[in-house]
Amino acid sequence: AARIAAAPSPYSTEAAPNTLEEITSYNNFYEFGWDKGDPKAHAGALTTDPWSVEIGGLVEKPGSYDLADVLKTAAPEERIYRFRCVEAWAMVIPWIGFPLAALLNRVGVQPGAKYVAFETLLRPSEMPGQRGPGIDWPYVEGLRLDEAMHPLTILASGLYGEELPKQNGAPLRLVVPWKYGFKSIKSLVKITLTEREPRTTWNDLQPREYGFYANVNPAVDHPRWSQASERRIGAGLFAARQPTLPFNGYGDQVASLYAGMDLRANY
Amino acid sequence: MIARLNATLRRLPPGAVYLLGLLPLAWIVWLTLSGGIGVDPVKGIEHRLGKVGLWFLAGGLTITPLLRLTRLNLIRYRRAIGLLAFFYIALHLVAWVWLDMGLLWRQAASDLVKRPYLVLGISAFALLIPLALTSNDASVRRLRAGWRRLHRLVYPAVLLGVAHYLWQMKVISPEGWTWAAAVAALLALRFPGLIRPSRG
């Protein structure tokens, strides 16, 4: 894959990133199977070129945007972010991407828009998990407009200086570092600005366990496990669990988005 | 064919089954040392130990139906298989407390009482303790008919174990449903009249 020249970003964490091997062999990408090793094993067959993203709903310039065109929206930056899975494990990942806000500003958000809905590719012929039962495909996610416009929210197309590996959501994925990983939808094909809160896949499946907001929050447990601490992947067999930080450590930047909200009710 | 197999098996002492039963553990140790366990060795070890325990539990439940339906006689290996199941499930528990929870006893304890799937798993283990303790000839003699009744606890234990396995998944996978169906079938075979009119 071609090297991507990316500028460093003040939003990057100082923490040491996980290895490429760790980041690319331990994935939840149910379109390619149930096991964390399945995406690496089965994503190779995915066609990511040609690729386009359909942008619609309450925008000024709706249409189908070619991937190369989308990537021209803003200069790529390296964003080294903490990543916290709802399953209570964590990594640090050097993404390459640009703010989603830049794309939304480019297509023009209409005044009535309050939410952004996202959709993953639906292609059962190349995504074996979509041929099986369990999840109503395609995978869908959503953000409130202010969350989507936040400078930490990026569209990533690279990792470790190169194009995004397929198992990590190539060719284009969302990354929202203060939310549980399932919000950061992969292999993005559709962005729709809406007035109403869009439905989201995990909330549809288990509304008691996965809320729309899904902000990392050590004080609100998953019904089946505690979110107070996490295991850092790569830390070794006998490493201690590390405490989970509110908003995954991004509270200074994003806590104000939720001022006055009951985060226990809006989990 | 079955008679020949039974004759061959007479030369395999139960002690060999204990040794063979340690192969999965050796395999897990090898994977861990060689790095083949994956980038998350904690979950890799923990889940593999639990799964091996489930295999032995279910394996123990196949012995009676095999004898009844095919006349293949593995009865004298049943104790070894049951004790191996207990051994792996105990290791699975140790892996959870030590490797996964990192000996955070308070978080582990509060998780244990709050999380139904952990309650199911620990209950299954608790049910197996008296069975492991009475897996010796002296107990069989002393408890007489009570021994057989006591050892029927393995039925609820395996049900709880499978429920524990399914419940920890975010969405139940096809493999999970296969396990549920297999264990349901093995337990259904226990009820006389369901498969064929015999007792036991």
Side-chain angles (χ1 to χ4, degrees):
Chain A
R3 299 280 312 170
I4 305 173
S9 163
Y11 291 111
S12 287
T13 166
E14 301 285 306
N18 279 83
T19 65
L20 183 65
E21 169 74 12
E22 287 161 351
I23 296 168
T24 56
S25 15
Y26 195 74
N27 309 99
N28 280 324
F29 197 169
Y30 286 69
E31 282 82 344
F32 294 106
W34 299 80
D35 193 82
K36 292 203 171 40
D38 283 340
K40 184 179 190 172
H42 303 305
L46 181 68
T47 309
T48 53
D49 184 17
W51 194 277
S52 59
V53 182
E54 193 188 329
I55 305 178
L58 301 171
V59 294
E60 306 294 347
K61 287 172 266 182
S64 177
Y65 289 77
D66 189 66
L67 177 68
D69 186 20
V70 172
L71 294 181
K72 269 186 265 173
T73 300
E77 298 171 33
E78 181 174 66
R79 298 279 184 107
I80 306 172
Y81 279 166
R82 286 179 293 277
F83 181 94
R84 172 59 155 80
C85 178
V86 73
E87 296 165 348
W89 53 266
M91 291 194 193
V92 173
I93 305 181
W95 304 109
I96 292 175
F98 65 89
L100 172 63
L103 180 65
L104 295 181
N105 286 332
R106 181 180 152 195
V107 297
V109 177
Q110 291 183 15
K114 294 195 179 75
Y115 294 90
V116 187
F118 303 92
E119 198 172 303
T120 292
L121 177 71
L122 177 67
R123 192 181 288 159
S125 62
E126 291 182 355
M127 296 176 136
Q130 291 180 339
R131 302 199 285 267
I135 293 175
D136 181 19
W137 308 107
Y139 191 89
V140 290
E141 256 305 335
L143 293 173
R144 221 169 53 190
L145 185 60
D146 57 345
E147 298 175 322
M149 298 298 277
H150 193 279
L152 281 171
T153 303
I154 58 168
L155 289 175
S157 63
L159 174 66
Y160 260 119
E162 301 203 2
E163 282 174 13
L164 199 59
K166 289 175 182 176
Q167 62 267 39
N168 295 90
L172 190 72
R173 67 170 290 168
L174 183 70
V175 179
V176 193
W178 71 93
K179 292 176 178 284
Y180 293 121
F182 67 87
K183 294 295 289 182
S184 294
I185 188 169
K186 303 187 182 84
S187 301
L188 192 56
V189 293
K190 195 169 176 184
I191 300 175
T192 312
L193 279 286
T194 64
E195 196 186 341
R196 297 236 173 98
E197 184 180 292
R199 48 175 282 267
T200 61
T201 293
W202 283 103
N203 185 243
D204 278 359
L205 276 164
Q206 295 282 359
R208 237 170 46 83
E209 299 188 343
Y210 310 100
F212 175 80
Y213 285 94
N215 291 317
V216 175
N217 189 343
V220 177
D221 286 346
H222 184 283
R224 287 182 284 149
W225 54 83
S226 164
Q227 297 291 24
S229 64
E230 62 204 26
R231 285 180 317 104
R232 167 77 193 270
I233 298 299
L237 204 49
F238 299 101
R241 293 177 80 94
Q242 58 189 28
T244 292
L245 301 171
F247 300 106
N248 202 21
Y250 296 96
D252 287 350
Q253 291 105 305
V254 301
S256 58
L257 297 177
Y258 309 100
M261 269 177 74
D262 178 0
L263 296 178
R264 290 196 164 272
N266 296 285
Y267 51 90
Chain B
M1 183 5 213
I2 292 288
R4 280 239 307 279
L5 205 53
N6 281 333
T8 314
L9 281 171
R10 235 163 264 144
R11 271 174 278 153
L12 181 74
V17 172
Y18 286 103
L19 279 178
L20 291 173
L22 292 177
L23 287 178
L25 180 62
W27 177 242
I28 292 170
V29 170
W30 162 249
L31 285 179
T32 305
L33 296 177
S34 69
I37 197 94
V39 302
D40 190 4
V42 173
K43 283 291 172 199
I45 292 168
E46 180 180 307
H47 288 172
R48 277 179 174 82
L49 288 170
K51 187 63 79 62
V52 174
L54 210 47
W55 272 109
F56 278 110
L57 265 187
L61 287 182
T62 61
I63 289 177
T64 301
L66 270 179
L67 178 64
R68 228 176 260 152
L69 300 173
T70 73
R71 308 314 302 169
L72 180 66
N73 189 344
L74 301 171
I75 294 286
R76 69 193 186 112
Y77 307 117
R78 191 164 58 179
R79 177 183 295 172
I81 289 171
L83 283 172
L84 283 163
F86 180 76
F87 172 68
Y88 280 101
I89 290 162
L91 286 180
H92 172 63
L93 189 63
V94 169
W96 174 67
V97 173
W98 187 17
L99 302 180
D100 193 342
M101 300 310 299
L103 299 178
L104 289 176
W105 292 100
R106 278 190 40 207
Q107 193 183 326
S110 70
D111 270 12
L112 198 56
V113 294
K114 274 195 285 186
R115 323 281 169 206
Y117 86 95
L118 291 177
V119 175
L120 295 184
I122 203 86
S123 310
F125 178 71
L127 288 178
L128 293 176
I129 293 173
L131 307 196
L133 292 177
T134 56
S135 284
N136 52 70
D137 293 338
S139 296
V140 177
R141 276 194 301 274
R142 206 171 53 241
L143 294 169
R144 297 165 192 266
W147 189 91
R148 292 195 67 174
R149 276 207 304 278
L150 177 67
H151 278 248
R152 284 187 195 136
L153 282 177
V154 73
Y155 304 154
V158 72
L159 270 181
L160 290 167
V162 167
H164 161 79
Y165 168 55
L166 297 197
W167 205 334
Q168 51 87 35
M169 297 180 190
K170 282 206 291 194
V171 184
I172 295 175
S173 67
E175 189 192 351
W177 288 121
T178 309
W179 271 99
V183 162
L186 285 171
L187 290 179
L189 285 167
R190 261 65 197 179
F191 296 93
L194 214 59
I195 297 296
R196 58 163 59 182
S198 68
R199 296 187 57 78

